[in-house]
Amino acid sequence: MPPSLEAKSRLPLTRRALLTGMASLACVPAGGGAAAGERRQFNDALLKLPKGVWTKIHEQRRGDAVVFQRQAHGGSAFDRRRGRIVLFGSDTHGKDWSNSPRFFDLATLTWSQLYPDDDPATYRVNAEGLPVAGPAGDHPWAMHTFGAVAYDPAADQLIVASYPQHMQPGRFTDALAGPWPLVRRHPTWILDLESGRWAPLEAEAVHFFPYCTAFDSDRGVLIGYARHGVFELSGPPRRWRRVAPQGLTGYHNNAVYDSRNWTIVVFGSQENSNDIVVFEPTVGIHQKMPTPGLRPPKDQHAPMAFHPGLAATVVLVDRPDSDGGRTETWAYDLELDRWTPYPEATIPYPQGMNYNMHHDPLHDLLVLVTGGGRSPTAVWGLRL
């Protein structure tokens, strides 16, 4: 068993990592396993993927049951209970109205969609002053979500901590004609994945547009990380609480929870950065790591996922060059404060803005959703 929070707070970071690693080795089945309550179907084909290289495992084609353009401003989470990537978010700006979650099932390698995207004509403000969409008024508006989409495994819920700041000017923001001035509050939205029903969080929202959140699965709380502060969604009653006065990065950052070290790991910033920021409130750690050795290229809005087998955070960074650029794979070890590149795990084009990478513990596989513009939506797998 890991030490108590009180005991953990007296341990240096590297000692905490060692203790957590020992506990994980004792409790986690080979290949990552599946947590209690997960209803997972194994896909033998995923075990046959070559090691150390990104392999395309699905690409959408005309005639598929679900076809859509990946939204670069959208976020995602991994539904551990069912083994699905969940995409939610839209580029909006009056050109896209995606407000339905999309699911990619690792067992069947198929996409599905919770409901058809709602016609913008249904967008309105309800009697409580909340922006709602759909014939029944029970869906959120399309919105940029960036890194502010997370999965709560205990509650089996998707948490969206953003709001539709970049709606089309005119019909939505016009003081006379648009519904925007009627909005009394933009809530944190909660999707119950068992029932497929959305509900607004009753407590006052904190928005992480265009920042990020990460779910601390050991304490069962969501951490939101932004320049204007670091916040924790916890309870009961469930509400946002400020836990640090300000963040140490600009916007377009991303974050993951390092379960070996009980720490939020943050990377990227709009001015481009290759600093790692760590936040661990129970021991009072909040700092930029010195990282004296090799570092990846500076970047922003980068795909990130914590890999428990490596005990490291995997980050994809763009490397521009005269041929258009490529995507490089790097892993950051917090205990050693050290980066490791994986030169064979390169994708031959840059990702740009992408918050759609996750680790699937059942198949011990990193999964990444790409696409956008003229490129079809595709899913890739990487076994490290």
Side-chain angles (χ1 to χ4, degrees):
M1 295 292 292
S4 67
L5 291 179
E6 291 79 9
K8 186 177 69 169
S9 67
R10 297 191 293 270
L11 298 172
L13 185 62
T14 53
R15 178 61 176 157
R16 294 203 321 277
L18 290 173
L19 283 172
T20 311
M22 291 165 59
S24 298
L25 287 173
C27 300
V28 177
E38 294 178 6
R39 304 187 294 273
R40 299 293 309 274
Q41 178 182 344
F42 201 79
N43 187 334
D44 291 326
L46 295 179
L47 289 183
K48 302 175 183 178
L49 297 181
K51 294 182 180 180
V53 297
W54 283 104
T55 303
K56 190 180 294 185
I57 60 177
H58 185 270
E59 183 173 283
Q60 292 183 6
R61 292 178 172 81
R62 292 182 181 180
D64 287 353
V66 175
V67 180
F68 62 92
Q69 184 179 82
R70 188 189 74 88
Q71 300 295 291
H73 294 81
S76 64
F78 191 77
D79 176 356
R80 289 178 51 117
R81 187 169 297 189
R82 300 162 190 81
R84 305 182 300 182
I85 303 169
V86 186
L87 302 185
F88 181 76
S90 171
D91 291 353
T92 60
H93 296 290
K95 298 178 181 178
D96 180 87
W97 301 95
S98 301
N99 75 328
S100 173
R102 271 81 168 173
F103 306 103
F104 184 78
D105 190 301
L106 269 296
T108 61
L109 303 185
T110 56
W111 284 100
S112 61
Q113 186 169 330
L114 187 57
Y115 49 84
D117 292 318
D118 293 313
D119 190 307
T122 68
Y123 284 40
R124 59 192 182 277
V125 178
N126 67 12
E128 289 78 37
L130 305 179
V132 295
D138 55 355
H139 301 155
W141 287 3
M143 67 180 83
H144 294 5
T145 55
F146 302 102
V149 179
Y151 176 64
D152 179 341
D156 192 27
Q157 293 175 338
L158 192 76
I159 306 175
V160 179
S162 188
Y163 77 115
Q165 180 173 319
H166 279 181
M167 295 301 287
Q168 181 184 15
R171 64 183 297 183
F172 283 93
T173 58
D174 186 276
L176 297 177
W180 186 278
L182 302 177
V183 176
R184 293 202 290 270
R185 70 181 181 98
H186 291 277
T188 298
W189 282 97
I190 309 294
L191 175 65
D192 182 273
L193 288 169
E194 185 67 27
S195 66
R197 294 175 181 170
W198 286 103
L201 185 70
E202 293 185 1
E204 182 179 355
V206 178
H207 302 302
F208 297 92
F209 175 111
Y211 293 96
C212 59
T213 62
F215 195 82
D216 177 343
S217 54
D218 287 295
R219 295 190 301 130
V221 302
L222 182 67
I223 299 292
Y225 198 95
R227 175 70 81 183
H228 57 268
V230 185
F231 298 81
E232 179 180 288
L233 182 63
S234 58
R238 188 188 260 183
R239 64 182 179 89
W240 287 102
R241 300 168 174 85
R242 186 187 294 268
V243 291
Q246 64 180 32
L248 304 180
T249 72
Y251 60 86
H252 287 173
N253 55 3
N254 202 359
V256 298
Y257 178 62
D258 180 337
S259 58
R260 292 296 181 97
N261 294 294
W262 302 303
T263 302
I264 301 296
V265 176
V266 186
F267 177 85
S269 185
Q270 90 281 1
E271 72 273 15
N272 288 328
S273 170
N274 57 11
D275 290 323
I276 285 287
V277 170
V278 295
F279 178 73
E280 218 293 47
T282 63
V283 294
I285 295 174
H286 186 200
Q287 66 180 40
K288 287 186 179 181
M289 298 298 290
T291 320
L294 184 68
R295 292 191 182 198
K298 296 181 179 181
D299 206 355
Q300 58 181 307
H301 44 59
M304 293 177 63
F306 181 71
H307 193 302
L310 297 178
T313 297
V314 178
V315 183
L316 303 189
V317 293
D318 288 347
R319 173 82 72 173
D321 60 26
S322 58
D323 294 326
R326 61 188 184 275
T327 302
E328 297 180 351
T329 301
W330 292 71
Y332 175 76
D333 185 315
L334 175 56
E335 181 186 347
L336 301 177
D337 190 22
R338 184 174 69 191
W339 286 97
T340 299
Y342 287 84
E344 298 301 317
T346 297
I347 297 175
Y349 53 84
Q351 293 304 306
M353 183 177 289
N354 188 316
Y355 297 94
N356 306 143
M357 183 169 73
H358 304 281
H359 179 263
D360 174 13
L362 181 63
H363 298 99
D364 193 23
L365 192 71
L366 289 165
V367 287
L368 170 73
V369 184
T370 66
R374 297 181 179 179
S375 300
T377 301
V379 184
W380 303 66
L382 172 64
R383 188 179 307 286
L384 289 179

